[in-house]
Amino acid sequence: MDGAGDRSLPEPGSQDSRANDDIEIVVNVGGVRQVLYGDLLSQYPETRLAELINCLAGGYDTIFSLCDDYDPGKREFYFDRDPDAFKCVIEVYYFGEVHMKKGICPICFKNEMDFWKVDLKFLDDCCKSHLSEKREELEEIARRVQLILDDLGVDTAEGRWRRCQKCVWKFLEKPESSCPARVVAVLSFLLILISSVVMCMGTIPELQVLDAEGNRVEHPTLENVETACIGWFTLEYLLRLFSSPNKLHFALSFMNIVDVLAILPFYVSLTLTHLGARMMELTNVQQAVQALRIMRIARIFKLARHSSGLQTLTYALKRSFKELGLLLMYLAVGIFVFSALGYTMEQSHPETLFKSIPQSFWWAIITMTTVGYGDIYPKTTLGKLNAAISFLCGVIAIALPIHPIINNFVRYYNKQRVLETAAKHELELMELTSSSAGEGKAGGSRGDLDNLSPEPPGKEVPSWSSRLKISHSDTFIPLLTEEKHHRTRLQSCK
């Protein structure tokens, strides 16, 4: 008992000459009591817990600047923080690094580390990746909320032309903004399908007609339908270009490049048809026009603009370059090995179809990908055995990278749904607090709300931003301010 008493903290304001290493610190974090020792905490003197060792010499003012409450009788410091996060944070004193427990929000955990004044460099790399991912999600939610708020807000200081640009951009780029915009988006989607069907039907010999020189050309009705579709695509692209906030970014965007490739062949072929004959031979003009007509297949990619599934698939493939590279490497090695073996084993047969190893590549490709056209096949016993082994190896090589690609697709799709729901959640909270503030109460008095979010005098804060801050949103993101806001343990983490 005497030894334990000697290790306890001195009275506040008293001068004690004992070494800090012998001091015993008792903290109560969220109802969980923990006993720590000075020699352990002094390893990191800049942390909040290490500051508790010498805080009693400064009196109660210094004590309450570091903790929420202090019991002089028990000599116990009280903190209204998350006890689960605290258990992870104090690992830095024992192991020199911090691991975030599964189930804790990375952003909340980062705020806890800031409170305990533990540097993020002690956080393990695997946990830092979770923190970076969560930060990106919050930035994406903030961007989506900001875009919606920009659409809802009307700046009276802007000129009429600028407001007209915003209206046109919102009308063409955001089908969910109004019913007419949704109708236009559906119409554009149907025209893409119609133009693709017309392109295919134009190649049917029964639907083609003969021109003056006896050559088969597309039916005039199909040409008129295609012209109307191209006219719509051109008008839509020009309106979006003129109304875009950043025209350079708009022009270099992948989907907008696809739009240009979808409409450009029509005008180039039209120019070559009417003016090219004067500068080159008619045969060359027809060949150029036919080559440009093939480029019309690019318009099918316009469907990705109206399909979130296609966009998700594109992103999944983009994130799966490593897996796709492994797939191609496996196939390339197998094709080379089995084509060489097939060529060698089939040389003993007088009617062999394997004339050379490069020619055998085709057989190995269609065999390993389980296509098997039957134009080239082995005739010897060893050749058939080689074909069976190559078939099995091809199935395994294709199946191995498929699972990570599917995981990337599902992960991105679910993430987009969560981000969309979180953005709507923020807007609903803003609308709820706005209507409650208008009535003078929101689960309490207006004064209570003001106490939740004190602002420095003389500092203006946007009305929607202040309403967002006073709402106890567990996904709050400061969109327009650079201030740091910290959640308490009373706020849940979704």
Side-chain angles (χ1 to χ4, degrees):
M1 294 295 293
D2 294 341
D6 293 338
R7 294 174 65 92
S8 62
L9 284 168
E11 291 292 337
S14 64
Q15 300 294 328
D16 195 291
S17 60
R18 284 179 299 167
N20 292 338
D21 293 349
D22 297 332
I23 294 179
E24 183 181 273
I25 300 290
V26 181
V27 295
N28 190 314
V29 181
V32 178
R33 196 169 182 269
Q34 185 82 24
V35 179
L36 303 170
Y37 298 98
D39 56 347
L40 191 68
L41 302 179
S42 59
Q43 300 177 54
Y44 304 99
E46 307 223 345
T47 60
R48 184 179 291 267
L49 290 175
E51 292 176 356
L52 294 177
I53 300 176
N54 301 318
C55 71
L56 294 179
Y60 285 106
D61 291 338
T62 305
I63 294 175
F64 288 110
S65 67
L66 296 174
C67 64
D68 295 318
D69 199 3
Y70 175 71
D71 188 347
K74 299 180 180 179
R75 298 184 180 181
E76 187 171 339
F77 298 92
Y78 291 88
F79 295 89
D80 188 16
R81 308 300 298 186
D82 185 0
D84 293 331
F86 177 73
K87 292 177 182 177
C88 300
V89 171
I90 62 174
E91 288 183 358
V92 69
Y93 300 103
Y94 295 98
F95 310 110
E97 60 181 5
V98 179
H99 285 272
M100 183 170 53
K101 187 187 297 184
K102 186 177 181 181
I104 299 179
C105 173
I107 300 299
C108 293
F109 189 79
K110 186 258 181 188
N111 293 338
E112 290 292 323
M113 292 186 65
D114 291 341
F115 174 81
W116 296 109
K117 299 182 181 180
V118 177
D119 199 281
L120 282 177
K121 67 182 181 181
F122 295 109
L123 190 62
D124 193 72
D125 292 338
C126 63
C127 302
K128 286 181 181 178
S129 63
H130 293 298
L131 178 61
S132 301
E133 183 179 353
K134 183 61 65 175
R135 278 177 173 171
E136 292 175 0
E137 290 181 4
L138 293 179
E139 291 174 0
E140 177 65 19
I141 296 173
R143 187 187 67 82
R144 295 189 180 201
V145 174
Q146 184 65 67
L147 289 176
I148 297 175
L149 291 172
D150 291 342
D151 293 338
L152 295 176
V154 178
D155 190 355
T156 56
E158 292 181 343
R160 181 179 300 178
W161 170 247
R162 183 59 180 169
R163 292 199 301 269
C164 180
Q165 275 187 314
K166 281 189 173 181
C167 291
V168 174
W169 178 258
K170 180 180 176 182
F171 183 77
L172 294 175
E173 285 290 323
K174 299 173 181 178
E176 69 280 358
S177 60
S178 63
C179 184
R182 192 174 294 108
V183 172
V184 170
V186 173
L187 178 61
S188 179
F189 182 82
L190 293 177
L191 288 177
I192 294 173
L193 293 179
I194 291 173
S195 64
S196 302
V197 172
V198 167
M199 181 187 69
C200 297
M201 294 178 63
T203 60
I204 301 176
E206 289 77 7
L207 297 180
Q208 294 177 342
V209 296
L210 299 177
D211 60 3
E213 300 178 358
N215 298 321
R216 288 188 172 274
V217 295
E218 288 187 4
H219 197 280
T221 303
L222 298 179
E223 288 186 351
N224 294 334
V225 173
E226 182 182 1
T227 302
C229 293
I230 292 295
W232 170 266
F233 297 150
T234 305
L235 177 63
E236 181 186 31
Y237 179 82
L238 293 178
L239 287 176
R240 291 172 54 244
L241 175 62
F242 292 144
S243 61
S244 63
N246 189 339
K247 293 179 173 52
L248 179 61
H249 180 268
F250 176 88
L252 298 179
S253 176
F254 174 75
M255 290 308 304
N256 296 323
I257 293 175
V258 170
D259 292 342
V260 173
L261 294 178
I263 62 178
L264 189 61
F266 175 82
Y267 294 103
V268 174
S269 61
L270 191 65
T271 303
L272 290 177
T273 302
H274 291 83
L275 301 178
R278 303 176 183 176
M279 298 179 291
M280 63 182 73
E281 297 181 1
L282 183 60
T283 304
N284 295 333
V285 172
Q286 291 176 346
Q287 292 176 352
V289 170
Q290 190 65 26
L292 288 171
R293 286 182 179 274
I294 299 176
M295 293 181 61
R296 293 184 299 176
I297 60 176
R299 68 187 60 172
I300 197 65
F301 294 107
K302 288 171 63 67
L303 292 175
R305 183 183 299 279
H306 306 280
S307 173
S308 59
L310 289 176
Q311 295 174 6
T312 304
L313 178 61
T314 303
Y315 179 84
L317 294 177
K318 192 184 301 183
R319 292 291 298 269
S320 305
F321 277 155
K322 182 179 180 180
E323 289 79 8
L324 293 174
L326 289 175
L327 172 61
L328 294 178
M329 185 186 69
Y330 294 156
L331 290 177
V333 172
I335 289 169
F336 181 81
V337 171
F338 291 112
S339 60
L341 291 176
Y343 169 76
T344 304
M345 294 174 181
E346 289 295 308
Q347 289 306 299
S348 60
H349 198 280
E351 299 178 358
T352 179
L353 299 175
F354 294 78
K355 304 299 183 183
S356 64
I357 292 180
Q359 187 182 6
S360 303
F361 286 167
W362 170 248
W363 167 83
I365 291 173
I366 62 177
T367 302
M368 295 192 67
T369 55
T370 70
V371 177
Y373 289 113
D375 52 346
I376 301 178
Y377 56 90
K379 297 182 179 181
T380 64
T381 302
L382 290 178
K384 292 177 181 179
L385 180 61
N386 177 61
I389 297 175
S390 66
F391 167 78
L392 294 176
C393 292
V395 171
I396 295 174
I398 293 175
L400 285 177
I402 293 300
H403 186 66
I405 297 174
I406 295 176
N407 282 342
N408 289 335
F409 178 86
V410 174
R411 187 183 301 114
Y412 181 75
Y413 181 75
N414 292 335
K415 180 179 178 181
Q416 293 303 307
R417 294 184 62 183
V418 169
L419 293 177
E420 183 179 354
T421 303
K424 291 181 180 179
H425 176 65
E426 286 294 338
L427 292 174
E428 289 173 358
L429 283 174
M430 292 166 54
E431 183 179 358
L432 178 63
T433 54
S434 176
S435 60
S436 300
E439 296 174 1
K441 54 185 178 179
S445 64
R446 176 65 184 176
D448 294 336
L449 290 177
D450 294 337
N451 292 333
L452 290 174
S453 179
E455 291 295 334
K459 184 173 182 180
E460 296 184 1
V461 179
S463 60
W464 65 267
S465 180
S466 61
R467 290 195 297 270
L468 181 59
K469 286 187 285 185
I470 63 178
S471 65
H472 276 252
S473 168
D474 39 19
T475 54
F476 160 64
I477 310 146
L479 297 176
L480 298 181
T481 61
E482 297 296 334
E483 302 174 0
K484 293 184 179 179
H485 303 272
H486 300 283
R487 299 181 183 84
T488 67
R489 69 182 182 89
L490 301 177
Q491 292 173 308
S492 61
C493 168
K494 290 186 180 180

